């Protein structure tokens, strides 16, 4: 992107704000952003795409060995048991040589149960970035000031509980990694609008993207990192992802949301010469009001789409409605 | 239930085990239990029920003032920010009279972001009980011993990650509370098979329950407690719920899962004269292999069903795939 | 306190601010407040009080059944194991009838280990309130504005790490509960300066309070609540504690810190007719710069002091230096 | 250690068990291990060492950028605010251009407060390993079986709450790093009994180690890693530390506890040719009953000792009494 790498960051950001800003489009109190593109008719039509009943979960496992980064205290979820089954069997049946250990629960009639807890950064697995996750010059979605939006009590305006039923629509998979021929894009590769369009053409009519769609872009990076068992680069190193220049398409296509199989949706490192932090996020979230999904596991779905040539489906990707959450952990389900 | 309240608990449990146990039905390594009743054809037919595109989230908000109990260290989720928006605005714009407070993030070009974490008992909001949640005489689903199933590392056999795409099917709402005439069943009311069948008859053909369905039973208790702002009784006091005697129907109808708008699905207190802990759980989970859903918010869906007389829909209720989780937090989506 | 209960809250607060405010006393960047009254000579003299070597821990156990309240998401600590010993013995020795469960760690030469984590509100057990815990009209210790002090990153100015070696001094126990004759003060009883002085006289010369001392006031409430196994009233109901009028003594005696065996140091309900929140905290912490200690378990120490008539000792009560912490969990040690 | 590196691990472990095992020495229900070497007389004599009143905290800051490793889900503590001061000032004073943001607490008379929580692996900062942390062939301290000791509910026999007042004694600093001439030992350097004795000789009479002492060994590694801002090697790479052969001295000297300024006390990698995990831990904790302290920050204390030539002091290192804890977070205080 020679025009970008050579250009001034400030000018590019200013230009993007001017062109793509959706503030006020859905009223001053809106908490749905581009999810407003989805309506009953859209959902009804999307449901009609679920013809065979084949269902795919697009979530990565939330475990101790997952892709969570260490950024700002974040990491993988820590899941622990308040009690476990082993104590029970020991108590009821006796561990060899150990009389009456205390773990036995002592309920009547052989009842036993166990419970668990999790400590989880909300962005540690498959998730949507909430509209309050990123600010542009201290202004968030719809032009609200940061201080109005996210306090210590969480996102008061656009928290996760406001989009509880929002992520139901037609899903379209754009398997850029496969279409590019190698199965996985190289780290640092910037996906342009041209490449998105070429992928759509290659995949055929079912891959046409229209208003209100939730677009899933497969780069192949997640599978590549999982294959080699090394998440370090995944979370913080170079990665394939959307070019800053793709914002024109992200805005103009009027999609409801976009997700990738990478840690941060946009290409890393960014495409500018000057220091800059997640410029695509800076425009997409607070200005367009676009929901970005990260760490979607698209492997099984992509294989199925490659096999039958159908790249559209019903997608339900409703995040956990944690009050005030700016990250929305989700187990997205695609049904073809 | 005179035969129950007068009878011996042990005999009732033994009888239920003998009649309803599904061990081995889907092979020795099964992790899906009654979700096996769902197949592609079932999901395909379920999707066809989503005609109008109206979508409903059935999850309660996960907040500090929610219905979480204090049992064994459990409580409501604690959601906190790793940073918040207020610091940012203070840093960028200046808080009145405060020069340069340190909260400002200092990113170039006006970029700013915030992150959050949650500490959450997995059963603190809308959730499915995992198959490893309850044991019967130290044996879990499929007859596996507790020690084989749930260790400190979580549920190794039937953990939440194994049902990642399992909860997609036809949903049927049985609005027992509304059908009974009062909107909400009184605490302690036991819902029998007869009452379930009467509700189905009253609701009409769309409420017929068939193999593989996910049944949602509305008692009205959740709305009643929320209305008075008092969750204490909700979590631990008397509650309406399924009678122990309803196990015959839960087993014989070959449903895939059942959820209610109560804390524990089954009636509280239980119906036996002798001490006993959650007897319906003790049979349903480890013996039938049935998934029980708790704290589903059925109010908006029930109002819609009452309005159009259609009680069936596409239901997607995929829990968060926490590795080894015995509780599955979920944001269930019903689409009509 | 007829003058208080009849008087205006605002006037009482204004009067207390005017009389007791220590702002600037130890320089503009001070993070020690009244701990500044302790110096090497004070600590050296305090150490000389440890003659017999008898040592007492003044901390309550941090467990699931402790005195933690539910205020603002707080509660008792939740301590869980990342793995436990039961899996190990099962793995190495075999649980009866269970071949090779996966819990076994598989280290060579019989090595095994376990680890644990805790999720803990910092005020859930024995602790000091940090200087950043309470603000008076948005101003904290030394007159700093809230926004300068506590951000989402914690207390930047007076966080727990700044007092890491600060809580070492002469300790003096004032056993008001025992001196009053009943062993435990009734809930709602306000301890006045007169009663503190009467207790000192009754206890004798070793109970004289001088500059730099850390004063421990025993009301008997903690033992009373623990005795009946009911912490609900302890955390939020009426409690014995310091009268608002005792602030004159708290300020004038130049003590370094004061702790009680109650949840909140000051009497509950407060002594004013009008609405008011923790008025003693409001003056003591941000204005005097005084550290308040809560839920100190003084029973064993008090029994020892009653037995030998010696009410002074070396006290080491160094809180955990959590960076930015506004609560300082502590295991205080008294040595006589 | 040619006899070790060439020898068989099994034989060395068996030999050490035979020579150093203290099981039964203090009765079958003991929870104090080598802390039993400390008695009132010892504590009284230790207190007499606190002559000048100079006090030192030996704890590392518990923050997001600290030395916590990622082993088994562990990491640094995550400290977050339930509310912060910035909202308050915004609410009371108004953030520029923002009317009435909700963060304002709305208490009367200008009262305001904030609270915080921490999620903390118990071994993530300065801590003692509990006696239940390590097992030798599934047997723990005093020969108890793992299943008897550590269940999902924590350490039932030797949990942190049992040593609440145990860590008060004479402390002796052995500054091996300084005595060796370079300030910091190289990674992989094994400290032998000879080197400990040489350090004692070099430091003079105040460094003599006797029964019941708590010994602090400074290698210089913590300061070195902190200096270069790189904790990765600190937690998991090669490190200086005690030789396996030093167990003879650890046992025979009858010390109460030993701590170092490293992540794991013992030298890393270990000194054997064959695979082996923390062999010194395997003998010291479950067999000797010796408490090992890790990540003690000895820099300020060591500088003071080097300056005045006095290497003995009163040490109070009482861990947080988390019920069942196998790690004891601590802020140790040395007073000279």
């Amino acid at each position: 992107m020679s025009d970008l790498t050579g250009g001034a960051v400030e000018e590019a950001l200013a230009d993007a704000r001017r062109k793509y800003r959706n503030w006020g489009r859905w009223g001053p109190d809106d908490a749905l952003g581009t999810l407003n593109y989805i309506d009953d008719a859209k959902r009804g039509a999307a449901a009609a795409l679920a013809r065979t009943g084949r269902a795919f979960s697009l979530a990565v496992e939330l475990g101790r060995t997952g892709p969570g980064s260490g950024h700002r205290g974040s990491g993988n979820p820590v899941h622990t048991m308040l009690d476990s089954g082993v104590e029970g069997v020991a108590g009821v049946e006796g561990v060899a040589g150990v009389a009456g250990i205390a773990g036995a629960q002592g309920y009547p009639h052989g009842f036993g149960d166990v419970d668990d807890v999790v400590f989880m950064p909300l962005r540690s697995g498959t998730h949507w970035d909430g509209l309050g996750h990123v600010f542009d010059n201290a202004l968030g979605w719809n032009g609200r000031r940061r201080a109005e939006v996210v306090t210590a009590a969480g996102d008061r305006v656009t928290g996760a509980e406001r989009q509880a039923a929002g992520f139901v629509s037609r899903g379209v998979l754009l398997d850029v990694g496969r279409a590019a021929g190698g199965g996985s894009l190289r780290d640092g590769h910037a996906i342009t609008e041209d490449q998105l369009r070429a992928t759509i053409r290659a995949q055929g009519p079912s891959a046409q993207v229209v208003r209100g769609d939730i677009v899933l872009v497969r780069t192949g990076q997640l599978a590549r990192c999982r294959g080699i068992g090394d998440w370090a680069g995944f979370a913080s190193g170079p990665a394939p992802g959307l070019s800053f220049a793709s914002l024109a398409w992200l805005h103009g296509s009027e999609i409801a949301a976009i997700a990738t199989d990478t840690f941060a949706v946009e290409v890393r490192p960014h495409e500018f010469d000057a220091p800059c932090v997640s410029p695509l996020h800076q425009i997409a979230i607070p200005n367009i009001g676009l929901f970005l999904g990260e760490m979607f596991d698209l492997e099984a779905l992509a294989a199925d789409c490659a096999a039958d040539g159908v790249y559209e489906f019903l997608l339900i990707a409703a995040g956990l409605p944690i009050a005030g959450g700016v990250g929305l952990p989700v187990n997205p389900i695609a049904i073809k």
Side-chain angles (χ1 to χ4, degrees), chain A:
Chain A
M1 299 301 301
S2 60
D3 54 336
L4 288 177
T5 53
V9 184
E10 279 292 353
E11 284 174 29
L13 287 167
D15 187 57
R17 281 180 204 114
R18 187 172 49 77
K19 290 180 179 164
Y20 311 136
R21 192 168 269 180
N22 281 329
W23 295 356
R25 187 163 182 164
W26 296 287
D29 297 326
D30 176 64
L32 294 177
T34 49
L35 295 178
N36 281 292
Y37 290 129
I38 308 172
D39 57 16
D40 284 356
K42 180 76 187 177
R43 278 187 292 262
L49 300 174
R51 300 181 186 103
T52 68
R54 289 199 306 277
F56 304 87
S57 164
L58 312 182
V60 295
E61 244 186 69
L62 287 163
R64 296 183 193 168
T65 55
S69 81
H71 180 50
R72 261 189 307 202
S74 290
N76 284 306
V78 180
H79 169 243
T80 51
M81 305 302 301
L82 293 170
D83 34 27
S84 89
V86 183
E87 289 86 345
V89 78
V92 172
E93 307 180 358
V95 170
V98 178
I101 73 160
Q105 296 180 311
Y107 292 128
H109 307 296
F111 179 87
D113 67 351
V114 301
D115 273 315
D116 45 359
V117 294
V118 74
F119 180 76
M120 180 170 63
L122 295 187
R123 214 159 270 94
S124 55
T126 305
H127 69 275
W128 295 107
D129 283 347
L131 291 184
H133 175 49
V134 167
F135 296 88
D136 180 12
N137 285 286
L139 299 178
W141 168 236
N142 245 351
R144 286 183 183 267
R145 292 170 192 250
R146 281 177 70 133
E148 291 180 276
V149 179
V150 184
T151 70
D155 185 332
R156 303 166 43 240
V157 178
T158 46
E161 76 278 18
R162 309 292 176 102
Q163 301 100 33
F167 293 92
V168 177
S169 193
R170 175 179 181 250
V172 177
L173 175 73
L174 302 186
D175 193 345
V176 182
R178 192 172 259 112
S184 166
L185 302 176
R186 66 169 175 73
D187 291 332
H189 176 88
I191 303 169
T192 61
E193 180 176 341
D194 282 351
Q195 190 168 20
L196 292 173
R197 293 192 184 281
T199 302
I200 292 169
R201 278 193 305 273
Q203 293 183 173
S206 73
Q208 287 301 322
V209 172
V210 298
R211 194 178 199 240
D213 285 346
I214 298 177
V215 177
L216 309 178
V217 175
R218 182 183 170 279
T219 69
Q221 191 205 16
L222 186 143
R224 174 158 48 83
C225 289
R226 190 164 49 196
I228 60 174
D230 182 4
W231 293 110
F234 184 74
S236 55
L242 295 175
S243 167
F244 185 81
S246 72
L247 281 163
W249 186 83
L250 295 180
H251 174 262
S253 60
E254 300 194 336
I255 56 174
I258 189 164
T260 65
D261 59 347
T262 67
F263 194 78
V265 174
E266 65 189 284
V267 64
R268 227 172 30 202
H270 63 73
E271 304 154 286
F272 294 97
D273 280 342
C276 188
V277 177
S278 302
L280 184 140
H281 275 66
Q282 190 170 348
I283 298 303
I285 295 179
N287 287 289
I288 302 183
L290 180 66
F291 284 87
L292 304 181
E294 292 163 338
M295 290 185 261
F296 278 50
D297 182 352
L298 304 173
E299 294 310 297
L301 176 63
D304 187 272
C305 294
D308 72 359
V310 179
Y311 289 86
E312 62 183 341
F313 36 84
L314 170 62
L315 181 70
I316 301 96
L320 221 52
I322 294 171
V326 299
L328 293 80
V330 61
N331 180 356
I333 300 289
I335 314 176
K336 294 183 70 173

